[in-house]
Amino acid sequence: MTKKSNDVILSVRGIQKSFGKQHVLRGVDFDVHRGEVVCLIGASGSGKTSLLRCMNLLMEPDQGEILIEGAPLFRRNGRERLRLSSSKVSAVRIKTGMVFQSFNLFPHRTALENIIEAPIVVKKVPRADAEAQARELLSRMGLPDAGNKYPSQLSGGQQQRVAIARALAMQPTIMLFDEPTSALDPELVGEVLAAIRQLAAEGMTMVIVTHEIGFAYELADRVVFMDQGVIAADGPPRELLLSGDNARLAAFVSRFTEQARLLSPLVAAADASSIATPSKDSKSWPT
Amino acid sequence: MNFDISLVLANWDLLAFGLLVTLKYTAYTCAIGLVIGLFVALLQLTPWLPLRLLGRVWVEFFRNIPLLVLLLWTYYALPIFLQIQISKEVAGILGLGFYASGFYAEILRAGVQSIDRGQTDAAVVLGMSYFQRMRRIILPQALRRMVPPLVGQTIMQLKNTTLLSVLTIPDLLYQAGYISSTTYRPMEVYTVIGILFILILFPLSALSRRFERREAA
Ligand SMILES: Nc1ncnc2c1ncn2[C@@H]1O[C@H](COP(=O)(O)OP(=O)(O)OP(=O)(O)O)[C@@H](O)[C@H]1O
Ligand SMILES: [Mg+2]
């Protein structure tokens, strides 16, 4: 899978972030190229969410630089600092679409209204066009009949797919996912991963924070391993996940391979009954 | 025991006047309380610490002072401190209104803050401005949550107007006292106004309960 091109969509440089005395990001450099799928993995608390939220300035770093399609979103070096109006920030930020672990759909709006909200209010798209686009996105997400349902009437997997559609409606150039399947019941994980897989096939540029190592292994062009606030390893999934070069990465991966090995009898059984679980990856794990 | 309400009913005009006064003071003081309360809630929601503290102090002051003390203080002590004249009506409205503002402020603030942080995140990421997300995302959700406590506080407010009788403002309770002292029928008079209060307030709380159920559904 070498669909990535050379133009950099998103670039972060020297990102630092502290919460009180806790130094959560300690100088992260990171580029994402057009069409690239990057999976961000790492232990809990290693700073994945913080880094992702810095990428679109949902969280403001203490130091560093963020460029999206060459447009500066944030820059701060010591005392020197780029000042942007909030509308300028917003104009750059909406090139990124974000999907959250907890979906964050607007509960007082139907699925369709969730999707058309920002195109109408922010981009001033005519309502009819926004609705047509939303319907098309819902079908793409496999939810052609969900438009009039409220989030509370949808399953977690359906909600997350609506959330993906909502992000896509703003026609972002890059999608950021923060553990999109972690809040889901196991049987609903597959449908969301399938939707993301489909986006990848369509060439969407994506950064995905995930604990689904098998998914990262299968889908990513590049896997980035974060450890204690820095990027500790970065490379193609096969090389990176299977090499033992980085001891902490190897230890991290081994927990999943161990689990996969233990579960392999179950995986075979589940394979027979269910559809879209990424189980074939688990089988390809070395044991 | 002989329960005879004919004497009470003969004074229905006095009771009606008292009821009018009670409703009038409820309306005035709720309006004042809501306006000040909204302002104080906004103070508490700003990122600016001194303003937040100011809002906090206001809320804590009026939530922790007993209403009867506040009313008596406003009527008897405040004019001396400020060297001004305050009529009992103004003292009553200010005391009750400020008192209500502390409670309303808390309801409004808590309502906005109870909305999950993720809602703001989602709206921000979609490019919505502060006012767009407040108006379209946060407040619509917060208001629904606020309705039951706001109604509850308004019910309390109507009941609290009975304390105005200590300032000799002729509310329903004061009128009842008057009728009872002229007719020597306290049992009947107080029974009647008790029932009146319940008849007025029950529909309000039933309405709020229904709203709550619809929200939960
Ligand atoms: N808003 C915040 N205030 C204070 N500390 C925070 C905040 N957000 C994150 N942290 C801390 O920063 C560290 C890194 O958090 P982060 O959420 O980026 O980790 P993560 O890699 O996403 O972990 P997980 O896999 O559990 O989601 C954690 O120790 C966390 O407690
Ligand atoms: Mg996280």
Side-chain angles (χ1 to χ4, degrees), chain A residues 20-144:
Chain A
K21 289 206 184 82
Q22 198 185 359
H23 205 167
V24 175
L25 297 175
R26 324 164 178 230
V28 177
D29 295 323
F30 189 78
D31 281 339
V32 184
H33 300 85
R34 189 179 299 282
E36 197 176 28
V37 177
V38 180
C39 283
L40 210 53
I41 63 171
S44 183
S46 56
K48 306 180 296 293
T49 296
S50 302
L51 177 60
L52 201 73
R53 289 170 70 90
C54 282
M55 287 178 187
N56 60 5
L57 216 55
L58 201 50
M59 177 189 281
E60 188 164 303
D62 302 330
Q63 282 290 320
E65 182 175 17
I66 303 166
L67 295 165
I68 296 178
E69 287 195 292
L73 179 61
F74 177 84
R75 178 160 58 235
R76 186 164 183 175
N77 288 309
R79 220 158 296 146
E80 185 241 334
R81 146 162 214 197
L82 175 73
R83 295 212 167 267
L84 292 178
S85 68
S86 60
S87 61
K88 188 84 214 313
V89 166
S90 172
V92 179
R93 174 187 281 138
I94 59 174
K95 293 167 190 263
T96 69
M98 193 169 213
V99 174
F100 303 89
Q101 184 172 345
S102 48
F103 329 136
N104 297 347
L105 289 179
F106 306 133
H108 59 309
R109 299 288 170 84
T110 63
L112 192 85
E113 289 167 345
N114 263 277
I115 299 171
I116 63 177
E117 174 72 19
I120 290 178
V121 171
V122 178
K123 280 196 169 167
K124 317 286 181 211
V125 173
R127 190 179 184 95
D129 298 356
E131 282 187 5
Q133 183 196 226
R135 293 225 165 74
E136 192 226 303
L137 282 168
L138 279 172
S139 334
R140 250 171 82 192
M141 289 293 126
L143 297 166

Side-chain angles (χ1 to χ4, degrees), chain A residues 112-237:
Chain A
L112 192 85
E113 289 167 345
N114 263 277
I115 299 171
I116 63 177
E117 174 72 19
I120 290 178
V121 171
V122 178
K123 280 196 169 167
K124 317 286 181 211
V125 173
R127 190 179 184 95
D129 298 356
E131 282 187 5
Q133 183 196 226
R135 293 225 165 74
E136 192 226 303
L137 282 168
L138 279 172
S139 334
R140 250 171 82 192
M141 289 293 126
L143 297 166
D145 304 319
N148 294 324
K149 298 230 173 83
Y150 283 90
S152 59
Q153 298 170 305
L154 298 171
S155 75
Q158 293 171 325
Q159 287 187 57
Q160 192 62 298
R161 284 182 284 154
V162 172
I164 294 172
R166 178 176 70 175
L168 291 174
M170 290 298 276
Q171 294 163 341
T173 39
I174 179 169
M175 288 283 286
L176 308 175
F177 294 81
D178 189 5
E179 299 195 35
T181 60
S182 292
L184 296 176
D185 290 339
E187 74 269 23
L188 302 177
V189 168
E191 62 191 59
V192 171
L193 293 186
I196 298 173
R197 211 176 272 126
Q198 184 191 329
L199 282 183
E202 290 163 8
M204 177 59 82
T205 312
M206 297 192 276
V207 179
I208 308 169
V209 174
T210 185
H211 284 292
E212 302 280 337
I213 297 291
F215 179 69
Y217 184 81
E218 166 213 348
L219 189 74
D221 297 306
R222 217 170 98 209
V223 171
V224 169
F225 174 61
M226 285 203 68
D227 188 29
Q228 298 172 326
V230 294
I231 290 179
D234 178 348

Side-chain angles (χ1 to χ4, degrees), chain B residues 15-77:
Chain B
L15 284 182
F17 182 77
L19 181 60
L20 219 61
V21 171
T22 291
L23 292 178
K24 190 179 84 178
Y25 277 85
T26 305
Y28 285 174
T29 61
C30 282
I32 291 178
L34 269 174
V35 169
I36 301 179
L38 181 62
F39 182 73
V40 173
L42 289 176
L43 285 185
Q44 288 187 270
L45 290 168
T46 58
W48 208 47
L49 186 66
L51 289 184
R52 284 211 308 273
L53 283 178
L54 189 68
R56 190 84 240 147
V57 167
W58 181 277
V59 164
E60 291 307 333
F61 182 83
F62 288 106
R63 283 210 318 172
N64 290 306
I65 188 167
L67 179 54
L68 191 51
V69 174
L70 178 63
L71 286 173
L72 292 172
W73 184 85
T74 314
Y75 187 45
Y76 294 109

Side-chain angles (χ1 to χ4, degrees), chain B residues 17-19 21-22 88-89 164 168-175:
Chain B
F17 182 77
L19 181 60
V21 171
T22 291
K88 59 190 181 188
E89 289 81 12
L164 290 173
T168 69
I169 290 172
D171 77 314
L172 198 49
L173 183 64
Y174 183 88
Q175 299 293 76

